[in-house]
Each structure stands twice: as structure tokens, then as C-alpha cells.
Amino acid sequence: MKKIAVFASGFGSNFEAIIEAIENQTLKAEIVLLVSDKPNCYALERAHQHCIETFTFNPKEYQSKKEYEVLIAQQLEKKEVSLIVLAGYMRLIGDILLEKYSNKIINIHPALLPAFPGTHAIEKAYEYGVKIFGITIHYVDAGIDTGNIIEQTCFKIKENETLEEVERRVHTLEHQSYPIIIEKVLNQLV
Ligand code: GRF
């Protein structure tokens, strides 16, 4: 069974979708660690509910990204993690992890990259007036949502659809797609 670590900073609905897919056996993997930079986030609560081990840290307590990433890397090695799955992790990944897990870190973004990278992507796309919304799953590099694209899926906005409705559809798409793509990426790992 391939071992994965999920990194999250917030609500953790994608994390939950991954947990469900594993429980349903549509995703053949084991989440051996949830890493979070936000000690009070709901994703951590979800991890506890599912008895998933966690590693939390407060970045402000470290001199540099390198310092806390060394600690994360130790945890990942100890748990023999094959793939890092970012799910609403609101931090750039630094050199330590990028080098150790080259092409083994993936992220999900709620827009069709390269359009609308960064935060509040759905809102920005909605305000811009785009007609096609979607999600992107991509490898992670040092930039903000700039890594090589693995998969994109999209839908057309309906007439008079509100931002909230669009957000719901985008998140549903994320929850459906991410476990499928994680499975695919894991199968391609050497
Ligand atoms: C998702 O929209 C994801 O695409 C983005 O951050 C959000 C995280 O949501 N990277 P959740 O914490 O998984 O509910």
C-alpha cells in the first residue's frame, strides 16, 4: 500500500474526500500523516476523528522555512511517504522538500491555471466574468501554482448562477477528481 502525507491549513474538505475514497477503496493508499501549519484548523480535527497521525508546527517559531521543513522531512522519511498531497496548504514549499520529493508533491487549485493563481481564485474568476470554471491538479514547484499540470476539469457557468453556487460546484469537482488523480499519480511512481 502506497503511503501518502496530506498537507492542509484549513477546512480540509479535500482531505476528507481523500479519506472517503480510501475507505471506499477507490483510492488504494494510506494516509500516514497530516501536516499542518495551523494548529487550530478543522483539517486537524478531521485527522483526529479518523485516527490519522498529525504533525503541526507554527512557522513563526522558526528562523526559516528550511528549519521547519527539515523537521517535516524527518517525519515523512520515518513514515516512508511516497507522495505529498497538498490540500489547501497555504504555504510555498521550499528547497528542502522540493529536492527530497522531486515530482512527488502535488496540489489542487480551484481554477484553470495559469489563470487565477493564488488565493480567492474562484471569486476572482467570477468577478472577471469567466464562463468556464474548473480545477487544476499539478505538480508543485517553487512558484505559486506554477508546476506542471497533471489534469484539469471544467464546467460552464449557468445563467444567473451565484458565486456561492459556483463555489459549491468547483469544490464538488475537486472532491471527485483529486482522489482519482492521486491514484493515477501513485500508479505512475517508480
Ligand atoms: C481548495 O479549493 C483547494 O483547491 C485550494 O484550497 C481549498 C482548500 O479547501 N488549494 P479545503 O480545505 O480542502 O476544504
Side-chain angles (χ1 to χ4, degrees):
M1 190 72 79
K2 293 260 168 59
K3 295 175 179 174
I4 65 174
V6 177
F7 286 31
S9 307
F11 187 54
S13 67
N14 280 285
F15 174 44
E16 187 83 39
I18 297 165
I19 293 171
E20 271 173 33
I22 291 173
E23 284 173 359
N24 299 337
Q25 296 177 8
T26 48
L27 170 56
K28 286 158 210 70
E30 185 190 352
I31 304 173
V32 288
L33 193 66
L34 175 79
V35 174
S36 182
D37 59 331
K38 291 271 183 271
N40 297 316
C41 74
Y42 191 61
L44 277 171
E45 175 63 33
R46 294 183 199 264
H48 297 144
Q49 283 166 8
H50 292 275
C51 301
I52 292 170
E53 274 190 51
T54 60
F55 177 74
T56 51
F57 64 97
N58 181 352
K60 288 188 192 132
E61 289 170 8
Y62 298 88
Q63 302 281 344
S64 63
K65 189 184 285 284
K66 183 176 174 186
E67 219 176 82
Y68 65 73
E69 283 201 346
V70 165
L71 295 181
I72 297 173
Q74 282 168 359
Q75 295 287 323
L76 300 175
E77 269 166 38
K78 201 168 86 188
K79 302 211 167 294
E80 300 176 324
V81 166
S82 306
L83 182 73
I84 298 175
V85 174
L86 307 187
Y89 181 66
M90 302 304 284
R91 248 160 229 288
L92 285 176
I93 300 293
D95 293 345
I96 296 284
L97 291 177
L98 286 175
E99 277 163 27
K100 277 195 193 306
Y101 292 88
S102 166
N103 276 317
K104 288 178 180 151
I105 311 177
I106 62 171
N107 182 42
I108 187 161
H109 183 72
L112 293 168
L113 292 171
F116 309 108
T119 56
H120 307 294
I122 309 174
E123 204 177 317
K124 285 180 193 157
Y126 188 88
E127 275 164 16
Y128 193 89
V130 305
K131 299 297 174 207
I132 308 282
F133 284 80
I135 63 153
T136 304
I137 296 165
H138 63 93
Y139 287 107
V140 171
D141 63 11
I144 300 177
D145 303 319
T146 48
N148 287 344
I149 292 174
I150 303 168
E151 182 67 289
Q152 293 186 304
T153 1
C154 63
F155 61 86
K156 202 166 190 313
I157 190 171
K158 294 175 194 149
E159 218 173 305
N160 301 322
E161 198 165 3
T162 64
L163 172 61
E164 290 68 32
E165 286 164 342
V166 171
E167 280 174 339
R168 251 196 311 276
R169 286 172 77 191
V170 170
H171 293 310
T172 302
L173 202 53
E174 289 191 315
H175 301 158
Q176 288 165 349
S177 305
Y178 213 9
I180 295 169
I181 301 306
I182 293 168
E183 171 80 7
K184 204 165 137 188
V185 171
L186 282 174
N187 286 334
Q188 284 166 1
L189 282 182
V190 280

